[in-house]
Amino acid sequence: MASEETSSSDPVTTFGGPPAGEAGGVLTIDLGAIFDNYRALTVRVLPTECAAVVKADAYGCGMEQVVPTLTRAGCKTFFVAHLSEARQVRALAPESTIYVLNGFIAGTGAAFAETHALPVINSSNELGEWDHFVQTSGFIGGCGIHVDTGMNRLGLTIDETAAVAARMQTENHGMALLMSHFACSDRPENPLNDQQIRQFREIRVLFRGIASSLANSGGIFLDKSAFCDLVRPGIALYGGNPTPGKPNPMKPVIELKARVLQVRSVAKGGAVGYQSAWIAKRASRIAVIAAGYGDGVPRAAAQTDGTPGRDVLVAGKRCRIVGRISMDLMAVDVTDMPDGAVRRGDLITLIGDGLPLDEVAAQAGTLGYELLTNLGRRFHRIWKV
C-alpha cells in the first residue's frame, strides 16, 4: 500500500489508499493504541515474553505500519500464517524471530532459510519433509512443534508429539518452540480450557530446554498457568475484546467513517434496495452511504423485514441500516434526525466513537476478527501515532 509521510526518524501520521476526496470513506488506525495495548499485555504476563500475531496484514490494520509500532513497543517475536507474510515482517523487523503458523510446504525450504523464518510443524509428514530439507541443506534455524490439545485443526497428536520428544536427547534437535492453541479461551467457564492446559503441561515436561506457548489473546486473561514462556496475542492488540461479556480491557484501535452521497424521501410503503427487502412503514428519509460489502461491510448487517439490522452513528445519533447492502452502497434510515442534520458529503460512523468493534460485529452476526480483516482498500487510510 502506498503511503506518504514526512522525512523524520520519529513516528509520524501516515496516509494510504485513495485521497480522502476520492474515497467513499475514511479508516483511521490508532497506532498509539496498538502500542499501548501491547505494553499493557506485556505487563500483565511478566516475566513471560509477549509476542504478537500480525497475520492477515496485521488483522487488516496494515503490517507496514503495525510491525514497526510493535517493535518500538518491545516486541521481538512475531507470528504469521504464511511464508509470504514472514518476508514482510523480516523486511520491517530484521532482528526479530518469526514463526509461520501454517507450517512447512515441500519445496519452500530455501525460502525459509533466506527469510530466516521458523515453520510451525503441524503433522508427521510435514516434519519428515522439514527434516529432509534440514539434512540436505545444513540449515540450523530451527522450527516450532504444534501439538493439538483439543482444537482438532492443525497439530500433531499427543502421541506423535511424545514420540518427537525423543529428539530432545540429541544435540542438534532443531526445535525452538513447543506450542498449542486454545479452542475456547474467550469462554473461561468452558471445561476444555482446563483440559488443554493440563494436557499441554504434561507434554511440555518432555520438552524441557525449549520455549513453550499456549495463550492467545483470550488465554492471557485465563489463569496464569496458561502463560508458559511466550504468549501470542492477536485480536487484543487491535482493540477486540479478549473477555467477551466483560468490559473491554483494550484500547479501541480503528474508526471507520463513510460518506453520505444523497438524502432522499421514501413514501410509506416504498421499498429500499435489492429484492425490496425493507418496506417503509411511514414516510421516511433515507441517507445513501458510499460503503458496501465491497468495502467489508457485512451483507447481513442491514435491517430487512425479517432481521433487526445494525446501527451506525449519524451526527452522533444511532440510526439503522435498512434494505439490502449492495457492493458499493447501503441505506440508513434518518427519518428521526432533524431536517438539515444530514447532508450530502457528511461522514457517518460505522465503527468507533461509541460503536465498539465487537458490538458492530455482533449486530452483523459475525466477529471482530472478520470485520477487521475485511476492511476495504477503497477507504482513505490514516495511521495516527
Side-chain angles (χ1 to χ4, degrees), residues 37 41 44 184-188 216-222 233-251 358 369:
N37 286 342
L41 294 172
R44 181 177 181 84
C184 304
S185 62
D186 57 344
R187 298 176 180 174
N216 53 6
S217 290
I220 291 172
F221 291 85
L222 294 176
I235 191 68
L237 295 172
Y238 309 104
N241 189 353
T243 60
K246 298 179 180 179
N248 191 350
M250 315 314 299
K251 289 186 176 180
D358 294 289
Y369 298 80

PDB file of all heavy atoms in Angstrom, residues 37 41 44 184-188 216-222 233-251 358 369:
ATOM      1  N   ASN A  37      -1.725  -1.159  23.862  1.00  0.00           N
ATOM      2  CA  ASN A  37      -2.307  -2.482  24.100  1.00  0.00           C
ATOM      3  C   ASN A  37      -1.214  -3.534  24.272  1.00  0.00           C
ATOM      4  O   ASN A  37      -1.298  -4.397  25.152  1.00  0.00           O
ATOM      5  CB  ASN A  37      -3.237  -2.862  22.948  1.00  0.00           C
ATOM      6  CG  ASN A  37      -4.550  -2.106  22.986  1.00  0.00           C
ATOM      7  OD1 ASN A  37      -4.943  -1.547  24.012  1.00  0.00           O
ATOM      8  ND2 ASN A  37      -5.254  -2.075  21.863  1.00  0.00           N
ATOM      9  N   LEU A  41      -0.456  -5.699  27.766  1.00  0.00           N
ATOM     10  CA  LEU A  41      -0.405  -7.156  27.807  1.00  0.00           C
ATOM     11  C   LEU A  41       0.950  -7.639  28.310  1.00  0.00           C
ATOM     12  O   LEU A  41       1.031  -8.634  29.045  1.00  0.00           O
ATOM     13  CB  LEU A  41      -0.688  -7.722  26.412  1.00  0.00           C
ATOM     14  CG  LEU A  41      -2.106  -7.476  25.877  1.00  0.00           C
ATOM     15  CD1 LEU A  41      -2.207  -7.899  24.426  1.00  0.00           C
ATOM     16  CD2 LEU A  41      -3.146  -8.202  26.721  1.00  0.00           C
ATOM     17  N   ARG A  44       0.965  -7.449  31.992  1.00  0.00           N
ATOM     18  CA  ARG A  44       0.080  -8.453  32.580  1.00  0.00           C
ATOM     19  C   ARG A  44       0.740  -9.814  32.700  1.00  0.00           C
ATOM     20  O   ARG A  44       0.485 -10.549  33.654  1.00  0.00           O
ATOM     21  CB  ARG A  44      -1.209  -8.562  31.747  1.00  0.00           C
ATOM     22  CG  ARG A  44      -2.200  -9.569  32.310  1.00  0.00           C
ATOM     23  CD  ARG A  44      -3.495  -9.613  31.523  1.00  0.00           C
ATOM     24  NE  ARG A  44      -4.409 -10.573  32.101  1.00  0.00           N
ATOM     25  CZ  ARG A  44      -5.225 -10.353  33.109  1.00  0.00           C
ATOM     26  NH1 ARG A  44      -5.265  -9.143  33.659  1.00  0.00           N
ATOM     27  NH2 ARG A  44      -6.020 -11.289  33.584  1.00  0.00           N
ATOM     28  N   CYS A 184     -11.304 -22.412  23.159  1.00  0.00           N
ATOM     29  CA  CYS A 184     -12.416 -21.713  23.819  1.00  0.00           C
ATOM     30  C   CYS A 184     -11.938 -20.719  24.872  1.00  0.00           C
ATOM     31  O   CYS A 184     -12.613 -20.492  25.875  1.00  0.00           O
ATOM     32  CB  CYS A 184     -13.351 -22.725  24.475  1.00  0.00           C
ATOM     33  SG  CYS A 184     -14.003 -23.988  23.373  1.00  0.00           S
ATOM     34  N   SER A 185     -10.780 -20.103  24.669  1.00  0.00           N
ATOM     35  CA  SER A 185     -10.235 -19.232  25.713  1.00  0.00           C
ATOM     36  C   SER A 185     -11.076 -17.988  25.937  1.00  0.00           C
ATOM     37  O   SER A 185     -10.970 -17.341  26.980  1.00  0.00           O
ATOM     38  CB  SER A 185      -8.798 -18.832  25.369  1.00  0.00           C
ATOM     39  OG  SER A 185      -8.753 -18.106  24.154  1.00  0.00           O
ATOM     40  N   ASP A 186     -11.933 -17.622  24.965  1.00  0.00           N
ATOM     41  CA  ASP A 186     -12.804 -16.465  25.162  1.00  0.00           C
ATOM     42  C   ASP A 186     -14.032 -16.817  26.003  1.00  0.00           C
ATOM     43  O   ASP A 186     -14.869 -15.958  26.262  1.00  0.00           O
ATOM     44  CB  ASP A 186     -13.233 -15.887  23.816  1.00  0.00           C
ATOM     45  CG  ASP A 186     -13.938 -16.896  22.921  1.00  0.00           C
ATOM     46  OD1 ASP A 186     -13.825 -18.107  23.197  1.00  0.00           O
ATOM     47  OD2 ASP A 186     -14.585 -16.480  21.940  1.00  0.00           O
ATOM     48  N   ARG A 187     -14.115 -18.091  26.433  1.00  0.00           N
ATOM     49  CA  ARG A 187     -15.185 -18.538  27.326  1.00  0.00           C
ATOM     50  C   ARG A 187     -14.545 -19.237  28.521  1.00  0.00           C
ATOM     51  O   ARG A 187     -14.377 -20.455  28.528  1.00  0.00           O
ATOM     52  CB  ARG A 187     -16.134 -19.477  26.588  1.00  0.00           C
ATOM     53  CG  ARG A 187     -16.834 -18.814  25.408  1.00  0.00           C
ATOM     54  CD  ARG A 187     -17.681 -19.781  24.631  1.00  0.00           C
ATOM     55  NE  ARG A 187     -18.334 -19.118  23.513  1.00  0.00           N
ATOM     56  CZ  ARG A 187     -19.050 -19.741  22.583  1.00  0.00           C
ATOM     57  NH1 ARG A 187     -19.183 -21.068  22.644  1.00  0.00           N
ATOM     58  NH2 ARG A 187     -19.610 -19.068  21.606  1.00  0.00           N
ATOM     59  N   PRO A 188     -14.154 -18.468  29.539  1.00  0.00           N
ATOM     60  CA  PRO A 188     -13.373 -19.023  30.650  1.00  0.00           C
ATOM     61  C   PRO A 188     -14.039 -20.196  31.349  1.00  0.00           C
ATOM     62  O   PRO A 188     -13.357 -21.042  31.927  1.00  0.00           O
ATOM     63  CB  PRO A 188     -13.225 -17.825  31.596  1.00  0.00           C
ATOM     64  CG  PRO A 188     -13.396 -16.625  30.730  1.00  0.00           C
ATOM     65  CD  PRO A 188     -14.376 -17.024  29.674  1.00  0.00           C
ATOM     66  N   ASN A 216      -3.297 -17.419  23.642  1.00  0.00           N
ATOM     67  CA  ASN A 216      -3.619 -16.367  22.679  1.00  0.00           C
ATOM     68  C   ASN A 216      -4.207 -15.191  23.457  1.00  0.00           C
ATOM     69  O   ASN A 216      -4.029 -15.093  24.673  1.00  0.00           O
ATOM     70  CB  ASN A 216      -4.586 -16.908  21.626  1.00  0.00           C
ATOM     71  CG  ASN A 216      -5.820 -17.561  22.256  1.00  0.00           C
ATOM     72  OD1 ASN A 216      -6.014 -17.528  23.471  1.00  0.00           O
ATOM     73  ND2 ASN A 216      -6.657 -18.157  21.434  1.00  0.00           N
ATOM     74  N   SER A 217      -4.938 -14.286  22.781  1.00  0.00           N
ATOM     75  CA  SER A 217      -5.475 -13.115  23.485  1.00  0.00           C
ATOM     76  C   SER A 217      -6.347 -13.525  24.657  1.00  0.00           C
ATOM     77  O   SER A 217      -6.183 -13.043  25.781  1.00  0.00           O
ATOM     78  CB  SER A 217      -6.277 -12.244  22.516  1.00  0.00           C
ATOM     79  OG  SER A 217      -5.446 -11.614  21.580  1.00  0.00           O
ATOM     80  N   GLY A 218      -7.313 -14.426  24.405  1.00  0.00           N
ATOM     81  CA  GLY A 218      -8.186 -14.863  25.487  1.00  0.00           C
ATOM     82  C   GLY A 218      -7.432 -15.603  26.568  1.00  0.00           C
ATOM     83  O   GLY A 218      -7.732 -15.459  27.764  1.00  0.00           O
ATOM     84  N   GLY A 219      -6.445 -16.401  26.187  1.00  0.00           N
ATOM     85  CA  GLY A 219      -5.666 -17.171  27.147  1.00  0.00           C
ATOM     86  C   GLY A 219      -4.905 -16.304  28.127  1.00  0.00           C
ATOM     87  O   GLY A 219      -4.646 -16.717  29.269  1.00  0.00           O
ATOM     88  N   ILE A 220      -4.553 -15.092  27.704  1.00  0.00           N
ATOM     89  CA  ILE A 220      -3.840 -14.167  28.587  1.00  0.00           C
ATOM     90  C   ILE A 220      -4.716 -13.752  29.768  1.00  0.00           C
ATOM     91  O   ILE A 220      -4.212 -13.346  30.823  1.00  0.00           O
ATOM     92  CB  ILE A 220      -3.360 -12.940  27.784  1.00  0.00           C
ATOM     93  CG1 ILE A 220      -2.242 -13.357  26.820  1.00  0.00           C
ATOM     94  CG2 ILE A 220      -2.895 -11.807  28.685  1.00  0.00           C
ATOM     95  CD1 ILE A 220      -1.829 -12.284  25.846  1.00  0.00           C
ATOM     96  N   PHE A 221      -6.039 -13.876  29.604  1.00  0.00           N
ATOM     97  CA  PHE A 221      -6.960 -13.484  30.668  1.00  0.00           C
ATOM     98  C   PHE A 221      -7.549 -14.681  31.400  1.00  0.00           C
ATOM     99  O   PHE A 221      -8.491 -14.540  32.171  1.00  0.00           O
ATOM    100  CB  PHE A 221      -8.056 -12.582  30.084  1.00  0.00           C
ATOM    101  CG  PHE A 221      -7.529 -11.236  29.672  1.00  0.00           C
ATOM    102  CD1 PHE A 221      -6.946 -11.064  28.423  1.00  0.00           C
ATOM    103  CD2 PHE A 221      -7.561 -10.166  30.538  1.00  0.00           C
ATOM    104  CE1 PHE A 221      -6.438  -9.829  28.039  1.00  0.00           C
ATOM    105  CE2 PHE A 221      -7.046  -8.939  30.175  1.00  0.00           C
ATOM    106  CZ  PHE A 221      -6.478  -8.770  28.920  1.00  0.00           C
ATOM    107  N   LEU A 222      -6.963 -15.876  31.150  1.00  0.00           N
ATOM    108  CA  LEU A 222      -7.268 -17.053  31.956  1.00  0.00           C
ATOM    109  C   LEU A 222      -6.273 -17.128  33.112  1.00  0.00           C
ATOM    110  O   LEU A 222      -5.566 -16.166  33.406  1.00  0.00           O
ATOM    111  CB  LEU A 222      -7.185 -18.305  31.087  1.00  0.00           C
ATOM    112  CG  LEU A 222      -8.212 -18.448  29.960  1.00  0.00           C
ATOM    113  CD1 LEU A 222      -7.932 -19.702  29.144  1.00  0.00           C
ATOM    114  CD2 LEU A 222      -9.633 -18.462  30.506  1.00  0.00           C
ATOM    115  N   PRO A 233      -0.692 -12.787  21.660  1.00  0.00           N
ATOM    116  CA  PRO A 233      -1.935 -12.042  21.431  1.00  0.00           C
ATOM    117  C   PRO A 233      -2.099 -11.653  19.968  1.00  0.00           C
ATOM    118  O   PRO A 233      -1.132 -11.353  19.277  1.00  0.00           O
ATOM    119  CB  PRO A 233      -1.763 -10.798  22.311  1.00  0.00           C
ATOM    120  CG  PRO A 233      -0.279 -10.608  22.398  1.00  0.00           C
ATOM    121  CD  PRO A 233       0.297 -11.988  22.414  1.00  0.00           C
ATOM    122  N   GLY A 234      -3.344 -11.651  19.532  1.00  0.00           N
ATOM    123  CA  GLY A 234      -3.697 -11.175  18.201  1.00  0.00           C
ATOM    124  C   GLY A 234      -4.771 -10.121  18.315  1.00  0.00           C
ATOM    125  O   GLY A 234      -4.502  -8.932  18.415  1.00  0.00           O
ATOM    126  N   ILE A 235      -6.051 -10.538  18.382  1.00  0.00           N
ATOM    127  CA  ILE A 235      -7.177  -9.611  18.347  1.00  0.00           C
ATOM    128  C   ILE A 235      -7.098  -8.545  19.426  1.00  0.00           C
ATOM    129  O   ILE A 235      -7.513  -7.395  19.213  1.00  0.00           O
ATOM    130  CB  ILE A 235      -8.513 -10.389  18.440  1.00  0.00           C
ATOM    131  CG1 ILE A 235      -9.712  -9.490  18.148  1.00  0.00           C
ATOM    132  CG2 ILE A 235      -8.646 -11.078  19.795  1.00  0.00           C
ATOM    133  CD1 ILE A 235      -9.791  -9.012  16.726  1.00  0.00           C
ATOM    134  N   ALA A 236      -6.557  -8.864  20.596  1.00  0.00           N
ATOM    135  CA  ALA A 236      -6.485  -7.881  21.682  1.00  0.00           C
ATOM    136  C   ALA A 236      -5.604  -6.697  21.309  1.00  0.00           C
ATOM    137  O   ALA A 236      -5.865  -5.562  21.733  1.00  0.00           O
ATOM    138  CB  ALA A 236      -5.963  -8.535  22.961  1.00  0.00           C
ATOM    139  N   LEU A 237      -4.573  -6.935  20.523  1.00  0.00           N
ATOM    140  CA  LEU A 237      -3.698  -5.841  20.100  1.00  0.00           C
ATOM    141  C   LEU A 237      -4.454  -4.810  19.281  1.00  0.00           C
ATOM    142  O   LEU A 237      -4.145  -3.619  19.311  1.00  0.00           O
ATOM    143  CB  LEU A 237      -2.529  -6.382  19.272  1.00  0.00           C
ATOM    144  CG  LEU A 237      -1.540  -7.294  19.982  1.00  0.00           C
ATOM    145  CD1 LEU A 237      -0.566  -7.877  18.967  1.00  0.00           C
ATOM    146  CD2 LEU A 237      -0.790  -6.541  21.075  1.00  0.00           C
ATOM    147  N   TYR A 238      -5.471  -5.282  18.549  1.00  0.00           N
ATOM    148  CA  TYR A 238      -6.164  -4.432  17.585  1.00  0.00           C
ATOM    149  C   TYR A 238      -7.501  -3.924  18.109  1.00  0.00           C
ATOM    150  O   TYR A 238      -8.333  -3.440  17.351  1.00  0.00           O
ATOM    151  CB  TYR A 238      -6.337  -5.209  16.274  1.00  0.00           C
ATOM    152  CG  TYR A 238      -5.026  -5.808  15.811  1.00  0.00           C
ATOM    153  CD1 TYR A 238      -4.766  -7.169  15.963  1.00  0.00           C
ATOM    154  CD2 TYR A 238      -4.016  -5.005  15.300  1.00  0.00           C
ATOM    155  CE1 TYR A 238      -3.544  -7.710  15.583  1.00  0.00           C
ATOM    156  CE2 TYR A 238      -2.792  -5.539  14.918  1.00  0.00           C
ATOM    157  CZ  TYR A 238      -2.565  -6.892  15.071  1.00  0.00           C
ATOM    158  OH  TYR A 238      -1.343  -7.428  14.711  1.00  0.00           O
ATOM    159  N   GLY A 239      -7.695  -4.036  19.418  1.00  0.00           N
ATOM    160  CA  GLY A 239      -8.858  -3.439  20.057  1.00  0.00           C
ATOM    161  C   GLY A 239     -10.031  -4.360  20.264  1.00  0.00           C
ATOM    162  O   GLY A 239     -11.052  -3.946  20.839  1.00  0.00           O
ATOM    163  N   GLY A 240      -9.948  -5.624  19.820  1.00  0.00           N
ATOM    164  CA  GLY A 240     -11.016  -6.574  20.076  1.00  0.00           C
ATOM    165  C   GLY A 240     -11.038  -6.966  21.540  1.00  0.00           C
ATOM    166  O   GLY A 240     -10.004  -6.973  22.214  1.00  0.00           O
ATOM    167  N   ASN A 241     -12.203  -7.313  22.038  1.00  0.00           N
ATOM    168  CA  ASN A 241     -12.338  -7.656  23.458  1.00  0.00           C
ATOM    169  C   ASN A 241     -11.955  -9.115  23.685  1.00  0.00           C
ATOM    170  O   ASN A 241     -12.661 -10.015  23.221  1.00  0.00           O
ATOM    171  CB  ASN A 241     -13.776  -7.424  23.922  1.00  0.00           C
ATOM    172  CG  ASN A 241     -13.926  -7.549  25.426  1.00  0.00           C
ATOM    173  OD1 ASN A 241     -12.992  -7.939  26.126  1.00  0.00           O
ATOM    174  ND2 ASN A 241     -15.107  -7.231  25.937  1.00  0.00           N
ATOM    175  N   PRO A 242     -10.865  -9.379  24.418  1.00  0.00           N
ATOM    176  CA  PRO A 242     -10.476 -10.759  24.703  1.00  0.00           C
ATOM    177  C   PRO A 242     -11.282 -11.391  25.829  1.00  0.00           C
ATOM    178  O   PRO A 242     -11.088 -12.564  26.150  1.00  0.00           O
ATOM    179  CB  PRO A 242      -9.002 -10.628  25.102  1.00  0.00           C
ATOM    180  CG  PRO A 242      -8.932  -9.272  25.729  1.00  0.00           C
ATOM    181  CD  PRO A 242      -9.915  -8.408  24.989  1.00  0.00           C
ATOM    182  N   THR A 243     -12.189 -10.611  26.433  1.00  0.00           N
ATOM    183  CA  THR A 243     -13.005 -11.096  27.554  1.00  0.00           C
ATOM    184  C   THR A 243     -14.474 -10.819  27.266  1.00  0.00           C
ATOM    185  O   THR A 243     -15.098  -9.992  27.940  1.00  0.00           O
ATOM    186  CB  THR A 243     -12.583 -10.420  28.870  1.00  0.00           C
ATOM    187  OG1 THR A 243     -12.759  -8.996  28.729  1.00  0.00           O
ATOM    188  CG2 THR A 243     -11.141 -10.719  29.211  1.00  0.00           C
ATOM    189  N   PRO A 244     -15.076 -11.470  26.266  1.00  0.00           N
ATOM    190  CA  PRO A 244     -16.479 -11.199  25.912  1.00  0.00           C
ATOM    191  C   PRO A 244     -17.404 -11.292  27.118  1.00  0.00           C
ATOM    192  O   PRO A 244     -17.257 -12.167  27.960  1.00  0.00           O
ATOM    193  CB  PRO A 244     -16.790 -12.300  24.893  1.00  0.00           C
ATOM    194  CG  PRO A 244     -15.467 -12.646  24.288  1.00  0.00           C
ATOM    195  CD  PRO A 244     -14.486 -12.522  25.418  1.00  0.00           C
ATOM    196  N   GLY A 245     -18.349 -10.368  27.171  1.00  0.00           N
ATOM    197  CA  GLY A 245     -19.269 -10.320  28.299  1.00  0.00           C
ATOM    198  C   GLY A 245     -18.784  -9.460  29.443  1.00  0.00           C
ATOM    199  O   GLY A 245     -19.538  -9.189  30.385  1.00  0.00           O
ATOM    200  N   LYS A 246     -17.535  -9.021  29.389  1.00  0.00           N
ATOM    201  CA  LYS A 246     -16.959  -8.139  30.399  1.00  0.00           C
ATOM    202  C   LYS A 246     -16.469  -6.869  29.707  1.00  0.00           C
ATOM    203  O   LYS A 246     -16.303  -6.839  28.488  1.00  0.00           O
ATOM    204  CB  LYS A 246     -15.789  -8.823  31.106  1.00  0.00           C
ATOM    205  CG  LYS A 246     -16.174 -10.096  31.863  1.00  0.00           C
ATOM    206  CD  LYS A 246     -14.948 -10.713  32.520  1.00  0.00           C
ATOM    207  CE  LYS A 246     -15.308 -11.988  33.269  1.00  0.00           C
ATOM    208  NZ  LYS A 246     -14.107 -12.607  33.896  1.00  0.00           N
ATOM    209  N   PRO A 247     -16.209  -5.804  30.470  1.00  0.00           N
ATOM    210  CA  PRO A 247     -15.675  -4.590  29.860  1.00  0.00           C
ATOM    211  C   PRO A 247     -14.372  -4.877  29.115  1.00  0.00           C
ATOM    212  O   PRO A 247     -13.537  -5.667  29.584  1.00  0.00           O
ATOM    213  CB  PRO A 247     -15.446  -3.655  31.057  1.00  0.00           C
ATOM    214  CG  PRO A 247     -16.419  -4.137  32.089  1.00  0.00           C
ATOM    215  CD  PRO A 247     -16.491  -5.629  31.907  1.00  0.00           C
ATOM    216  N   ASN A 248     -14.201  -4.262  27.975  1.00  0.00           N
ATOM    217  CA  ASN A 248     -13.008  -4.488  27.160  1.00  0.00           C
ATOM    218  C   ASN A 248     -11.791  -3.838  27.816  1.00  0.00           C
ATOM    219  O   ASN A 248     -11.774  -2.622  28.008  1.00  0.00           O
ATOM    220  CB  ASN A 248     -13.229  -3.904  25.762  1.00  0.00           C
ATOM    221  CG  ASN A 248     -12.145  -4.323  24.779  1.00  0.00           C
ATOM    222  OD1 ASN A 248     -11.131  -4.889  25.154  1.00  0.00           O
ATOM    223  ND2 ASN A 248     -12.367  -4.029  23.508  1.00  0.00           N
ATOM    224  N   PRO A 249     -10.766  -4.622  28.171  1.00  0.00           N
ATOM    225  CA  PRO A 249      -9.577  -4.032  28.800  1.00  0.00           C
ATOM    226  C   PRO A 249      -8.632  -3.365  27.799  1.00  0.00           C
ATOM    227  O   PRO A 249      -7.645  -2.751  28.207  1.00  0.00           O
ATOM    228  CB  PRO A 249      -8.900  -5.245  29.445  1.00  0.00           C
ATOM    229  CG  PRO A 249      -9.280  -6.392  28.561  1.00  0.00           C
ATOM    230  CD  PRO A 249     -10.667  -6.096  28.088  1.00  0.00           C
ATOM    231  N   MET A 250      -8.924  -3.486  26.501  1.00  0.00           N
ATOM    232  CA  MET A 250      -8.020  -2.963  25.477  1.00  0.00           C
ATOM    233  C   MET A 250      -8.533  -1.620  24.939  1.00  0.00           C
ATOM    234  O   MET A 250      -9.739  -1.351  24.932  1.00  0.00           O
ATOM    235  CB  MET A 250      -7.876  -3.958  24.317  1.00  0.00           C
ATOM    236  CG  MET A 250      -7.663  -5.405  24.731  1.00  0.00           C
ATOM    237  SD  MET A 250      -6.442  -5.677  26.041  1.00  0.00           S
ATOM    238  CE  MET A 250      -4.952  -5.022  25.290  1.00  0.00           C
ATOM    239  N   LYS A 251      -7.612  -0.806  24.456  1.00  0.00           N
ATOM    240  CA  LYS A 251      -7.985   0.456  23.837  1.00  0.00           C
ATOM    241  C   LYS A 251      -8.514   0.208  22.423  1.00  0.00           C
ATOM    242  O   LYS A 251      -7.993  -0.643  21.702  1.00  0.00           O
ATOM    243  CB  LYS A 251      -6.780   1.395  23.765  1.00  0.00           C
ATOM    244  CG  LYS A 251      -6.333   1.945  25.103  1.00  0.00           C
ATOM    245  CD  LYS A 251      -5.222   2.979  24.918  1.00  0.00           C
ATOM    246  CE  LYS A 251      -4.832   3.614  26.253  1.00  0.00           C
ATOM    247  NZ  LYS A 251      -3.754   4.633  26.068  1.00  0.00           N
ATOM    248  N   ASP A 358     -16.665  -4.855  18.601  1.00  0.00           N
ATOM    249  CA  ASP A 358     -17.334  -6.116  18.898  1.00  0.00           C
ATOM    250  C   ASP A 358     -18.849  -5.982  18.874  1.00  0.00           C
ATOM    251  O   ASP A 358     -19.554  -6.921  18.497  1.00  0.00           O
ATOM    252  CB  ASP A 358     -16.856  -6.663  20.247  1.00  0.00           C
ATOM    253  CG  ASP A 358     -15.389  -7.055  20.203  1.00  0.00           C
ATOM    254  OD1 ASP A 358     -15.065  -8.054  19.552  1.00  0.00           O
ATOM    255  OD2 ASP A 358     -14.571  -6.346  20.811  1.00  0.00           O
ATOM    256  N   TYR A 369     -12.887 -10.175  14.402  1.00  0.00           N
ATOM    257  CA  TYR A 369     -11.819 -10.679  13.537  1.00  0.00           C
ATOM    258  C   TYR A 369     -12.189 -10.496  12.059  1.00  0.00           C
ATOM    259  O   TYR A 369     -11.377 -10.047  11.246  1.00  0.00           O
ATOM    260  CB  TYR A 369     -11.607 -12.182  13.769  1.00  0.00           C
ATOM    261  CG  TYR A 369     -11.168 -12.604  15.136  1.00  0.00           C
ATOM    262  CD1 TYR A 369     -12.071 -12.714  16.176  1.00  0.00           C
ATOM    263  CD2 TYR A 369      -9.845 -12.946  15.383  1.00  0.00           C
ATOM    264  CE1 TYR A 369     -11.678 -13.142  17.434  1.00  0.00           C
ATOM    265  CE2 TYR A 369      -9.432 -13.385  16.633  1.00  0.00           C
ATOM    266  CZ  TYR A 369     -10.351 -13.473  17.658  1.00  0.00           C
ATOM    267  OH  TYR A 369      -9.952 -13.900  18.894  1.00  0.00           O
TER     268      TYR A 369
END
